[in-house]
Amino acid sequence: MDNPEPTPPAVASAVVDGSGRIAAWSEGAALLLGLPTAEAVGRPAADLLAEPPPPDTRASLAGLPRWHGALALRHRDGHEVRVAVIAHRRRPDAEGDGWLLVSRLTGREPRPGEEELAAIAFEQTTAALAVYDTDLRLRRWNEAMARTVGLTEDEARGLRLSEIGGKRQSQDLERHLAYARDTGHRQDLDTFLRTGGELREHAWAASFVPLHDRSGRLRAICLTATDTTEQYAARQRLAVLNDAAARIGSSLDVTRTAEELAEVCVPYLADLITVDLLDAPVEGNASAPWRQPMRRVAVRSVLDGCPEVLTGPGTLTSYSRHSPQAQALRVGHTVRYATEDPALRPWFAERPERLARSREFGIHSTMLVPIRARGVTLGVAMLARHRRPEPFVHDDVLLAEEIAARAAVCVDNARRYTREREVALTLQRSLLPRVLPRPTAVATASRYRPAAPHAGVGGDWFDVIPLSGARVALVVGDVVGHGVQASATMGRLRTAVRTLADVDLPPDELLTQVDDLVVRLAMETGDQEAAGDVGATCLYAVYDPVSRICQLARAGHPPPLVLLPGGAAPEVLRVPAGPPLGVGGLPFEAVERELPEGSLLTLCTDGLLENRERDIDVGFALLRDVLGRHREEPLEALCDTVLEALLPAGGAPDDVALLLARTRALGADQTAFWDVPPRPASVGEARRRVGERLADWGVGEAEIMTGELIASELVTNALRHADPPIGLRLILDKDLILEVCDASSTAPHLRRARWLDETGRGLMLVAQLARRWGTRHTPAGKVIWAELPLHEPLGPG
């Protein structure tokens, strides 16, 4: 039998590399130009051109992925061959640099029966096609359109689109059909339509294309409809996930986060949602979570008031083992139920009103999604449908789990933050003074307000410290940062300030010592450059009611305000700022200011003065205005007035500490001072003068004797061990204060006297008789003081 003739190639192709030489040559190319492969490969491709291409063609190739056009080529025997060429640029990384050129050799002429192909394609394509005449009446549609509409072509032929559909959407489609006919331009439309006997709407992409004959006359309009429901649903799911990422977790509040989860899910994913969270999250995969009570924290429905649910927000519920919530937590993944599912019968039997409520509102599909994050079970969300006819499907499960996972992380973050905030607040409140001392020198009132919940607890503090000589120290400070670390650092600094205040250091020296402490705390963190992380600001003031002098120094803290009696406007005291604590190596400077009795000092942290809406200068102006207008209010009421006027309604973004102090003064008749000559007889004179003055003040005989003994011991000690000048001062306060000053800087100390020692027992007697005693250094030397409790209210005689 004869061998069949080989089929001639239908396409000529060649590959031109980056250097312009032929790298591959097909059999079709050899047939087209009569050039064998062996002679073609390696030759410059330009040798095959019968004439060079136009300059604009060469320029257009730059950067193009593809080119097509006509080329004049030279046959091997010399004649010219004109061909249509399509050139594809090859990717250098995958196929080598250059071009792939193809040109068809056969198949240009129509084949017999090809006219029928158009009709076959029309009938068998999966897209729904319909052809309407210029009167907008149906002439043809294919099987896909017939299945979509639910009518055969014969049943619908001759009807308009609005007559076929009978819906409002059909009239809208007919208007687009008419617009394409009248304008001659294609119209594209995305719509939602329930077609045929479908129960739910589908998403459709429709095109209206005018059809013209060869003469250009409009003959018909073609309607193409493609079901894009799955693509639309995928886009919607992506949009919901984006919405969830943007909306869920906007605050560190557990309840608000659960509400945001509900807002994202309703109405897109469900018609009803409830969110229940465990009061105590359970770690691991234990089957116990469902046994623990859960609190309903969020409910949302497409119906006002959420009438479908029996349990509202805030209710604590213990679910039985038959509940769908328990089943979801037991298996650890999402479960779905139909309302008539037999698995729910025991659950409905426990409370028959559950089934009645479900049937009343038409709830037909339910989905339970566990809320888990970082291996911890936090709760469960229940989603239900009653307005939407379709039940939950697998894609809904995937979407709900993705949203719940996002919400779970945010809930866990909120719970962790809330727990840390509570710890920090508890720590801070335990470190702040619960009850302020009531010294004679000043009347005080204070307020502390933690930052708004999302901002975290800071390290603000205040203190009122009684000092020797009826003086008092006023302190306000602010530690950098928020949280437990800031609260702990605040406690250490407050303790340090109180300890140094007991030593009676001047304000500038005290801040220098605290500055050194902060530097050491930073070094203890292991990072010598981390002082800023342990830094703080502080304002320290000491007021003496005898001299009415107030000494102040500050370390990077806002200055205090003073409101003098007599109607003067409040003013900001000019106190050198000084560097914040923790900078190290820089000096602090103290100033003195005489304050008349009844002056009001206001000390606060920057959280009261500045926020995102105003700077600190505006805050000072507001504070001055409030103090000036409410100067007559009691201190406690004035504190509330200041906070109400300066803090935003939703809470301050930073902690706020406020300390108000109204000064008092001790009159000349409540003090007495004598110079003590450096001679032994001065001890007796001191005893006599003290006894006489105490008697004038109405002090009891026992206190007089004790006062005389303490005075004689202190004067004797000064005469023996100190340098003149020596002075003796009495101050009548709540207690009797005895002070002996001298020019020596050596501080006395207690020591144990032996049996045969004749000296060394004076300070021991003072320590036993006085409530407290101590030493403070002055620029001229030192002062030894003792406080003697008085058991009766006294006054100058």
Side-chain angles (χ1 to χ4, degrees):
M1 185 163 66
D2 296 337
N3 292 328
E5 291 289 332
T7 302
V11 175
S13 63
V15 174
V16 179
D17 63 20
S19 65
R21 296 182 177 274
I22 297 174
W25 191 255
S26 72
E27 181 182 353
L31 180 63
L32 178 66
L33 297 182
L35 193 64
T37 301
E39 296 183 21
V41 173
R43 294 182 59 174
D47 292 351
L48 303 181
L49 297 175
E51 59 184 35
D56 58 342
T57 300
R58 292 196 299 269
S60 66
L61 292 176
L64 287 179
R66 189 183 72 178
W67 176 87
H68 65 280
L71 289 178
L73 304 178
R74 182 71 63 189
H75 196 274
R76 186 182 186 191
D77 62 10
H79 73 273
E80 182 178 306
V81 179
R82 301 193 69 84
V83 295
V85 176
I86 299 177
H88 303 277
R89 186 183 295 276
R90 293 160 64 90
R91 292 182 299 169
D93 56 340
E95 302 163 338
D97 196 10
W99 292 83
L100 168 65
L101 291 82
V102 295
S103 178
R104 64 183 177 183
L105 299 178
T106 61
R108 291 184 176 88
E109 299 79 12
R111 295 178 180 177
E114 284 188 349
E115 288 120 0
E116 299 178 8
L117 293 178
I120 295 173
F122 180 83
E123 291 296 336
Q124 298 184 9
T125 183
T126 56
L129 300 176
V131 177
Y132 291 83
D133 61 21
T134 53
D135 293 329
L136 306 184
R137 298 194 175 276
L138 177 70
R139 305 314 308 162
R140 294 289 310 276
W141 69 24
N142 63 359
E143 286 298 322
M145 183 65 81
R147 289 192 300 272
T148 299
V149 178
L151 297 173
T152 65
E153 185 180 67
D154 289 339
E155 291 172 332
R157 184 181 289 113
L159 298 177
R160 298 171 74 101
L161 211 162
S162 58
E163 297 166 344
I164 296 172
K167 302 182 181 67
R168 180 183 58 80
Q169 295 98 322
S170 303
Q171 298 174 0
D172 294 338
L173 293 175
E174 187 171 302
R175 281 193 289 271
H176 283 82
L177 196 69
Y179 188 83
R181 176 198 63 186
D182 297 340
T183 63
H185 298 301
R186 169 176 173 157
Q187 297 294 305
D188 293 315
L189 174 68
D190 291 323
T191 187
F192 296 91
L193 191 64
R194 206 168 19 248
T195 59
E198 290 283 346
L199 296 179
R200 69 188 188 98
E201 289 184 339
H202 286 242
W204 296 92
S207 297
F208 306 86
V209 182
L211 303 179
H212 300 83
D213 59 18
R214 295 183 182 278
S215 65
R217 183 167 61 96
L218 178 68
R219 298 294 303 276
I221 304 95
C222 178
L223 167 61
T224 304
T226 304
D227 189 343
T228 60
T229 303
E230 292 187 4
Q231 297 91 324
Y232 174 78
R235 291 194 300 270
Q236 285 296 101
R237 286 193 291 271
L238 182 60
V240 171
L241 289 177
N242 289 336
D243 187 38
R247 295 176 61 180
I248 298 177
S250 63
S251 69
L252 289 170
D253 181 80
V254 173
T255 300
R256 181 56 195 147
T257 301
E259 291 172 349
E260 290 166 345
L261 167 62
E263 291 168 359
V264 169
C265 291
V266 175
Y268 171 74
L269 186 57
D271 300 321
L272 169 69
I273 184 174
T274 64
V275 182
D276 298 328
L277 296 181
L278 293 161
D279 274 0
V282 177
E283 297 186 7
N285 296 316
S287 59
W290 64 272
R291 300 178 186 274
Q292 300 189 22
M294 285 190 282
R295 189 174 302 279
R296 181 149 295 174
V297 292
V299 177
R300 188 173 179 85
S301 170
V302 294
L303 304 179
D304 293 338
C306 304
E308 310 99 312
V309 298
L310 297 173
T311 305
T315 307
L316 193 65
T317 303
S318 295
Y319 288 103
S320 72
R321 60 187 302 271
H322 303 297
S323 66
Q325 287 86 350
Q327 178 64 16
L329 294 179
R330 187 183 301 113
V331 300
H333 59 74
T334 302
V335 294
R336 289 175 284 163
Y337 295 100
T339 300
E340 304 301 328
D341 194 320
L344 294 182
R345 290 175 185 171
W347 168 245
F348 288 139
E350 293 177 2
R351 291 184 65 181
E353 60 266 31
R354 289 173 180 152
L355 180 59
R357 192 69 62 92
S358 296
R359 288 175 174 172
E360 176 185 354
F361 291 97
I363 296 175
H364 60 85
S365 184
T366 306
M367 177 167 57
L368 286 301
V369 186
I371 300 175
R372 291 175 53 85
R374 304 181 179 103
V376 177
T377 300
L378 303 172
V380 63
M382 187 277 292
L383 295 88
R385 285 179 176 175
H386 54 76
R387 179 170 290 182
R388 298 175 57 165
E390 62 273 8
F392 290 110
V393 297
H394 181 65
D395 287 343
D396 297 323
V397 172
L398 296 179
L399 178 59
E401 289 178 341
E402 186 71 24
I403 297 173
R406 165 75 183 179
V409 172
C410 296
V411 168
D412 190 46
N413 289 341
R415 274 189 160 158
R416 289 168 183 255
Y417 168 78
T418 301
R419 185 164 55 248
E420 180 179 338
R421 175 180 170 82
E422 290 174 352
V423 170
L425 276 174
T426 302
L427 175 61
Q428 188 166 41
R429 290 192 179 110
S430 68
L431 296 173
L432 288 173
R434 297 186 179 182
V435 179
L436 290 178
R438 298 182 179 275
T440 304
V442 292
T444 60
S446 62
R447 293 292 185 273
Y448 170 75
R449 292 290 183 270
H454 64 277
V457 178
D460 292 15
W461 91 92
F462 59 89
D463 215 341
V464 176
I465 308 171
L467 302 177
S468 63
R471 298 169 304 133
V472 65
L474 306 173
V475 191
V476 171
D478 185 1
V479 174
V480 171
H482 296 86
V484 175
Q485 182 63 41
S487 297
T489 302
M490 177 272 289
R492 300 174 76 172
L493 295 185
R494 177 172 178 260
T495 301
V497 170
R498 291 188 69 90
T499 302
L500 295 170
D502 286 340
V503 183
D504 265 317
L505 291 180
D508 52 341
E509 294 184 22
L510 182 140
L511 292 181
T512 300
Q513 296 296 326
V514 178
D515 181 54
D516 292 341
L517 171 63
V518 174
V519 172
R520 289 196 298 273
L521 289 177
M523 296 178 65
E524 289 176 5
T525 64
D527 184 0
Q528 297 186 8
E529 298 180 359
D533 297 334
V534 196
T537 64
C538 184
L539 171 62
Y540 185 79
V542 175
Y543 173 68
D544 186 344
V546 177
S547 65
R548 300 178 181 83
I549 296 295
C550 185
Q551 290 182 304
L552 308 100
R554 63 188 179 111
H557 200 83
L561 276 75
V562 63
L563 177 61
L564 301 177
E571 62 174 299
V572 178
L573 285 179
R574 297 184 178 275
V575 182
L581 299 175
V583 174
L586 297 176
F588 300 94
E589 184 178 350
V591 296
E592 293 185 354
R593 174 73 179 267
E594 183 175 354
L595 298 178
E597 184 174 8
S599 299
L600 178 65
L601 277 171
T602 302
L603 294 75
C604 64
T605 54
D606 58 357
L608 179 69
L609 301 171
E610 61 181 346
N611 53 43
R612 296 184 183 90
E613 283 73 35
R614 67 167 185 256
D615 60 26
I616 196 167
D617 292 332
V618 176
F620 270 122
L622 289 174
L623 182 56
R624 287 198 300 269
D625 178 66
V626 173
L627 294 175
R629 288 187 293 108
H630 299 273
R631 66 174 66 227
E632 300 301 330
E633 286 188 8
L635 293 184
E636 292 292 338
L638 183 56
C639 279
D640 296 331
T641 300
V642 168
L643 294 183
E644 182 179 354
L646 272 75
L647 296 186
D654 194 6
D655 283 23
V656 172
L658 172 65
L659 178 61
L660 300 181
R662 195 180 303 277
T663 63
R664 300 184 180 123
L666 293 177
D669 56 352
Q670 292 178 268
T671 64
F673 180 83
W674 302 280
D675 291 320
V676 179
R679 59 175 183 263
S682 297
V683 176
E685 295 175 3
R687 290 174 63 95
R688 178 179 56 79
R689 289 175 175 175
V690 168
E692 292 174 353
R693 181 52 58 95
L694 295 183
D696 291 342
W697 284 345
V699 177
E701 291 185 7
E703 284 85 359
I704 292 176
M705 293 177 59
T706 304
E708 290 175 340
L709 180 57
I710 291 175
S712 66
E713 292 297 335
L714 294 181
V715 170
T716 300
N717 191 71
L719 291 173
R720 287 184 176 180
H721 305 289
D723 300 324
I726 300 172
L728 171 63
R729 184 170 73 159
L730 298 181
I731 301 175
L732 181 62
D733 193 12
K734 295 178 179 178
D735 295 333
L736 176 63
I737 303 171
L738 300 96
E739 297 182 342
V740 173
C741 60
D742 57 57
S744 174
S745 61
T746 303
H749 62 276
L750 288 173
R751 67 183 181 88
R752 186 178 298 277
R754 290 173 294 187
W755 287 101
L756 299 178
D757 288 346
E758 296 182 0
T759 61
R761 296 179 177 85
L763 288 181
M764 183 67 71
L765 287 173
V766 172
Q768 294 298 317
L769 296 174
R771 182 194 299 273
R772 62 186 189 124
W773 73 282
T775 304
R776 69 173 181 269
H777 291 275
T778 66
K782 69 176 182 294
V783 175
I784 304 177
W785 55 269
E787 293 182 1
L788 176 64
L790 299 176
H791 302 294
E792 298 178 6
L794 304 174

